[in-house]
């Protein structure tokens, strides 16, 4: 399905996408799982060319934020330092975009890498190596905590321990990390949101970004329970919004985990249908956090499960149709630019779009 692009001149900073080559990972699992893993991931191979194609499919994407995903680690380094390789790779993609050969487009203008915060104070040299590798573009880390007692919810690639954000080892590393004035992206599942609330209250000066609307679940043992768990999720979102150091990303709902839609991958649903599915979650988040602490995200290529890139942003624009020009600018670009310290990207975009 193809659609006309809505508001094609509205500047967008896509604050959450990945770059990876999952083919070696997929090959490591039994063959019956290959198609499933690739479908859930959205693409087995996704680097500059694929990102450029998606971000130039009609919407005015002026810059992006790369989000860590365990890709392109440096095998030659010690385990704690291996994630530095991912930041080096993303910085190379950013340099490719900044060459001027692709116009004013700035992919990976901000880079969010990974460091193992359970290292405690020993995480400091890792963070400093990440900062150096980013060449000014490194803006923060993500240490995902997604876990569920049902192993079928996440599948074998995800292996965070239960209660990670509450553990003493993690808190020690988080305390050391907070000295650097960088962002922290949090990915965990809806039943775990209380862990993030506790963390945010314990470190009120640390900028935290909640990924994927808190990841409501409609998979495995949670299938069919979105409606009955909605009020639990909503209370958690409003409680998190009371912490001024927390922002939220509006997206991720097209992941297979969330099941909005349930059928994927790439079944061709239109933006009106998707906007109707996502509206209760997106509107709740914007109401709770306000446009100044909320940002639309693609989560590509993972959200390809439920939406093509142009359709996904059309759905977001439908959801934001009733907001003012300033609020739209915040939701689609300005909040991301401020949180990830890339306001120079937005400064080049027209203010009357």
């Amino acid at each position: 399905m193809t659609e006309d692009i809505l508001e094609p001149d509205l500047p967008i900073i896509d604050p959450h996408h990945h770059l990876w080559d999952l083919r070696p990972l997929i090959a490591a699992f039994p063959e019956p799982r290959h198609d499933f893993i690739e479908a859930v991931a959205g693409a087995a191979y996704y680097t500059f060319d694929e990102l450029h194609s998606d971000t130039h499919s009609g919407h005015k994407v002026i810059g992006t934020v790369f989000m860590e995903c365990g890709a392109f680690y440096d095998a030659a380094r010690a385990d704690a330092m291996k994630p530095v390789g991912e930041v080096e790779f993303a910085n190379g993609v950013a340099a490719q975009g900044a060459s001027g050969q692709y116009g004013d487009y700035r992919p990976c203008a901000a880079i969010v890498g990974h460091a193992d915060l359970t290292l405690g104070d020993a995480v400091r040299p890792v963070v400093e190596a990440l900062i150096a590798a980013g060449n000014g573009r490194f803006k923060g880390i993500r240490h995902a905590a997604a876990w569920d007692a049902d192993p079928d919810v996440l599948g074998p690639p995800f292996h965070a321990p239960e209660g990670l954000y509450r553990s003493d080892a993690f808190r020690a590393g988080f305390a050391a990390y907070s000295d650097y004035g960088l962002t922290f992206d949090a990915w965990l599942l809806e039943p775990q949101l209380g862990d993030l609330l506790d963390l945010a209250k314990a470190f009120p000066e640390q900028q935290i970004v909640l990924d994927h609307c808190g990841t409501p679940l409609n998979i495995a043992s949670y299938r069919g329970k979105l409606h009955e768990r909605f009020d639990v999720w909503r209370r958690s979102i409003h409680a998190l919004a009371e912490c001024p150091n927390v922002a939220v990303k509006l997206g991720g709902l097209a992941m297979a985990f969330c099941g909005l839609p349930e059928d994927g991958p790439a079944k061709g649903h239109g933006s009106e249908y998707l906007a109707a599915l996502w509206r209760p979650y997106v509107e709740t988040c914007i109401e709770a956090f306000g446009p100044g602490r909320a940002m639309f995200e693609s989560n590509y290529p993972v959200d390809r499960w439920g939406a093509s890139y142009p359709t996904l942003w059309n759905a977001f624009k439908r959801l934001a149709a009733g907001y003012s020009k300033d609020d739209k600018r915040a939701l689609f670009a300005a909040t991301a630019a401020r949180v990830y310290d890339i306001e120079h990207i937005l400064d080049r975009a027209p203010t009357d779009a």
Side-chain angles (χ1 to χ4, degrees), residues 268-346:
H269 294 296
S271 61
E272 288 189 62
Y273 176 81
L274 294 171
L277 284 180
W278 301 343
R279 186 176 301 280
Y281 295 95
V282 170
E283 288 189 346
T284 296
C285 286
I286 298 174
E287 175 193 354
F289 285 89
R293 288 193 291 143
M295 60 190 99
F296 286 114
E297 55 157 337
S298 76
N299 190 35
Y300 243 61
V302 183
D303 276 33
R304 184 179 283 168
W305 167 270
S308 71
Y309 200 87
T311 301
L312 179 144
W313 287 102
N314 264 0
F316 291 156
K317 288 175 178 178
R318 291 184 186 280
L319 290 168
Y323 289 91
S324 69
K325 181 178 70 175
D326 288 344
D327 285 348
K328 286 182 182 180
R329 191 169 176 83
L331 291 165
F332 286 93
T335 299
R338 176 182 56 79
V339 168
Y340 291 108
D341 189 28
I342 51 172
E343 290 175 303
H344 62 284
I345 300 295
L346 188 54

Side-chain angles (χ1 to χ4, degrees), residues 234-246:
R234 180 169 53 188
R235 287 194 293 271
S236 296
I237 290 296
H238 278 277
L240 281 165
E242 292 177 5
C243 301
N245 58 320
V246 180

Side-chain angles (χ1 to χ4, degrees), residues 71-230:
F72 304 111
Y73 278 18
D74 186 345
R77 287 183 163 104
D79 285 350
M81 289 289 185
K82 281 178 169 40
V84 175
E86 182 176 52
V87 172
E88 290 174 334
F89 172 81
N91 191 52
V93 171
Q96 185 176 356
S99 68
Q101 295 186 49
Y102 308 91
D104 289 335
Y105 172 63
R106 293 296 180 265
C108 305
I111 298 170
V112 176
H114 174 72
D116 181 2
L117 293 181
T118 66
L119 294 170
D121 203 59
V123 79
R124 292 182 185 274
V126 180
V127 175
E128 289 160 12
L130 292 166
I131 292 170
N135 192 32
R137 297 185 177 100
F138 179 76
K139 303 299 181 180
I141 69 167
R142 179 172 74 162
H143 190 156
W147 174 91
D148 194 82
D150 179 355
D152 291 331
V153 169
L154 290 166
F158 303 97
H159 45 75
E162 180 181 5
L164 176 64
Y165 289 169
R166 292 182 181 268
S167 70
D168 291 341
F170 179 90
R171 293 290 179 95
F174 201 84
Y177 175 69
S178 66
D179 289 342
Y180 291 90
L182 299 164
T183 64
F184 177 78
D185 265 71
W187 181 45
L188 70 175
L189 309 179
E190 174 265 307
Q192 302 176 279
L193 289 176
D195 291 358
L196 184 61
L197 177 62
D198 189 74
L199 182 69
K201 288 181 175 179
F203 295 89
E205 302 304 315
Q206 173 62 51
Q207 175 68 68
I208 294 172
V209 183
L210 172 62
D211 294 346
H212 313 329
C213 296
T215 314
L217 296 172
N218 187 23
I219 194 171
S221 56
Y222 293 90
R223 186 172 294 280
K225 296 182 179 180
L226 282 171
H227 180 73
E228 68 181 75
R229 295 195 63 86
F230 183 81

Side-chain angles (χ1 to χ4, degrees), residues 30-52:
E31 189 168 347
R33 299 287 290 175
H34 290 187
D35 290 344
F36 173 77
I37 295 172
E38 183 171 351
V40 170
Y45 185 80
Y46 197 82
T47 57
F48 178 88
D49 288 345
E50 292 74 24
L51 177 68
H52 184 272

